[in-house]
Amino acid sequence: IWGKQQGLSTIALANIGAVFTFSKGFVMVLSGYISDKTRNRKGILLTGFITALLGLFVTAVADWSTDLKSLYLFLLFGGILIGSGVGSVYCVMTAALSDHTPPQDRASAIGVYKFWRDSGYAMGGLLTGFVADASGGSFAVTTLSVAVLVGVLVIGIALFYQEVEVPDDATSPCHLESADEVTLCINQDTNSDL
């Protein structure tokens, strides 16, 4: 709607949507393959969030364009960046969740994750619309960029923590990797009987 109000044609807006969708689909396949081969899921997630964040900033800057051609090019480039970022996060996040969830809990864990992810799409769209109506499109995109920046910072911090993969044969929630975990495991098993 905002692009139409700025004077962009329906074909131009369709092109922006198309490059977003194509880049998202292409990068989903590529990032899934790279994720499975390298197992560097956090790095791919961080790169995806940063790419989407850059796309949001490019889209916010588009509001300062002085002519339709530069507006169109900014939105086109922003759509490619956002699509690429979302595409790299979309399937890798589910794989990362599966890596850290025991097999018997994966279906419910993925269900909970997808519920909150999809709720975020709905609530984020509504909230961005309300902010855009109250303050303008550029401020809404900037607000969304700040929310993505928070996600980037959380994942960036998480990169410094040690990963412990849950083996596929783990049947006990008290699966030990080292002797240091024995006390914690004993305490968990003692408390579970209470």
Side-chain angles (χ1 to χ4, degrees), residues 1-189:
I1 296 173
W2 175 76
K4 194 72 167 167
Q5 291 171 346
Q6 300 300 318
L8 289 175
S9 69
T10 304
I11 292 173
L13 294 171
N15 288 338
I16 294 165
V19 297
F20 166 81
T21 305
F22 177 79
S23 59
K24 177 183 171 187
F26 179 76
V27 172
M28 280 175 65
V29 173
L30 185 64
S31 65
Y33 177 79
I34 293 170
S35 169
D36 288 342
K37 293 301 176 191
T38 65
R39 308 296 282 180
N40 181 16
R41 305 210 200 280
K42 285 183 188 175
I44 293 171
L45 291 172
L46 183 62
T47 302
F49 274 115
I50 290 171
T51 304
L53 182 62
L54 291 173
L56 288 170
F57 283 131
V58 167
T59 303
V61 169
D63 195 32
W64 300 333
S65 299
T66 56
D67 62 289
L68 283 180
K69 184 175 181 180
S70 61
L71 173 68
Y72 175 68
L73 293 176
F74 271 111
L75 292 177
L76 201 64
F77 186 57
I80 292 169
L81 288 173
I82 295 169
S84 298
V86 169
S88 63
V89 169
Y90 200 80
C91 57
V92 175
M93 186 75 84
T94 305
L97 179 66
S98 294
D99 288 345
H100 298 284
T101 306
Q104 65 272 15
D105 298 330
R106 284 187 186 146
S108 58
I110 290 172
V112 168
Y113 158 70
K114 287 190 174 191
F115 169 78
W116 286 109
R117 182 199 66 194
D118 294 348
S119 297
Y121 287 145
M123 299 308 271
L126 288 172
L127 184 60
T128 302
F130 291 140
V131 172
D133 286 344
S135 307
S138 182
F139 183 75
V141 172
T142 304
T143 303
L144 186 59
S145 299
V146 170
V148 173
L149 180 61
V150 169
V152 167
L153 292 174
V154 167
I155 290 179
I157 291 168
L159 282 172
F160 293 103
Y161 288 98
Q162 178 184 3
E163 286 190 33
V164 178
E165 287 194 26
V166 177
D168 287 337
D169 63 344
T171 56
S172 168
C174 193
H175 183 78
L176 301 178
E177 293 291 329
S178 69
D180 296 333
E181 296 175 299
V182 171
T183 305
L184 177 63
C185 182
I186 291 171
N187 289 341
Q188 284 178 352
D189 283 345

